[in-house]
Amino acid sequence: MTEPATAPLPVVILISGRGSNLQAIIEAVGQGELPIDIRAVVSNRPQANGLQRATRAGIATTVIDHTRYADRQAFDQALQAHIDRYQPGLVILAGFMRLLGKEFVAHYRGRMLNIHPSLLPDFPGLNTHQRALDAGCKVHGASVHFVTVDMDGGPVVLQAHVPVAVRDTAASLAARVLELEHRLYPVAIRWFAEGRLTFNDHGQALLDGIILNAPRQLPALTGKPV
Ligand code: GRF
């Protein structure tokens, strides 16, 4: 008799805009590469293009518009109450552009991931590509990390590098990094869904039970000469 397949991990994905990482995740699930069940996609912006991508994939969508709440705490509470209806084992931030409060982050401790377009700890925050160019970086990239109260500061689990070309603009660099993000995020999510990626009481990330003192690296993927 064959073992029953393990049920896919229920997840909720939070977005604010374009949703290209969401699309990459949806496609990875469709290709059988990602054992997750995307229970819902939530956006804080009604116009987020990612909402249409979710709808096309038959995923429930909700808008929780932050401008309609008196303060961050009220927004966070509404968001949390909504997410918890789906009982997710993992909350995935995919271009979600709101800072989340301490209590919200504590509630999802060890079960919330984010993707950030830089090689953290370099360039947390916005405009990462221009800042990498301004700093004269020869290498740039993207990082997946557990979310903690420090913005873009939780333990990094996986990174991918891209070489920076002399002729690069913020836009050209952003495009190459984004391509990598689409490969990177499903890998880290799969690790989590398979129970390989965990978070301990000391706030450390572990892969296969071993503390990740440094993030794992995905080799450069484009192979294009720069
Ligand atoms: C990505 O660059 C991601 O790293 C950052 O926000 C952007 C979202 O893009 N957090 P998309 O909405 O997934 O296309």
Side-chain angles (χ1 to χ4, degrees):
M1 232 169 79
T2 50
E3 290 284 317
T6 321
L9 182 76
V11 308
V12 170
I13 303 183
L14 307 189
I15 62 166
S16 295
R18 181 177 52 188
S20 70
N21 277 288
L22 165 67
Q23 186 70 46
I25 296 166
I26 290 171
E27 284 167 18
V29 175
Q31 284 156 13
E33 291 167 8
L34 206 43
I36 61 172
D37 173 15
I38 308 173
R39 291 269 170 94
V41 167
V42 184
S43 172
N44 65 309
R45 294 209 179 108
Q47 304 308 330
N49 185 45
L51 290 168
Q52 292 164 32
R53 298 181 192 263
T55 303
R56 273 201 299 272
I59 300 164
T61 61
T62 309
V63 174
I64 300 185
D65 183 345
H66 63 277
T67 63
R68 293 174 176 262
Y69 292 84
D71 52 31
R72 185 185 309 284
Q73 204 185 359
F75 170 71
D76 280 4
Q77 280 170 0
L79 184 59
Q80 182 177 316
H82 185 76
I83 292 170
D84 285 351
R85 286 171 45 186
Y86 297 99
Q87 301 188 302
L90 177 66
V91 174
I92 298 171
L93 307 187
F96 184 71
M97 301 304 285
R98 295 295 297 168
L99 284 179
L100 294 163
K102 229 194 263 181
E103 283 156 24
F104 184 96
V105 172
H107 183 71
Y108 299 106
R109 187 175 193 278
R111 53 187 181 117
M112 183 154 59
L113 292 174
N114 183 40
I115 188 158
H116 182 78
S118 79
L119 296 173
L120 291 170
D122 291 344
F123 313 119
L126 299 173
N127 303 320
T128 55
H129 309 298
Q130 188 59 53
R131 285 159 66 206
L133 288 176
D134 293 347
C137 295
K138 300 273 179 280
V139 177
H140 186 46
S143 307
V144 178
H145 65 94
F146 277 105
V147 177
T148 63
V149 281
D150 307 315
M151 186 195 58
D152 301 326
V156 180
V157 298
L158 185 62
Q159 289 184 323
H161 293 65
V162 286
V164 178
V166 181
R167 63 174 182 280
D168 260 324
T169 61
S172 66
L173 197 50
R176 287 213 309 289
V177 170
L178 192 65
E179 222 177 288
L180 279 186
E181 291 185 37
H182 298 161
R183 301 281 301 266
L184 196 64
Y185 216 2
V187 172
I189 295 166
R190 178 165 49 77
W191 286 348
F192 189 94
E194 291 172 346
R196 297 179 56 196
L197 178 64
T198 54
F199 189 81
N200 71 13
D201 290 344
H202 307 290
Q204 295 164 309
L206 292 87
L207 186 62
D208 297 328
I210 297 165
I211 293 167
L212 280 170
N213 289 317
R216 287 294 171 91
Q217 305 293 329
L218 210 66
L221 298 161
T222 62
K224 286 181 194 148
V226 288

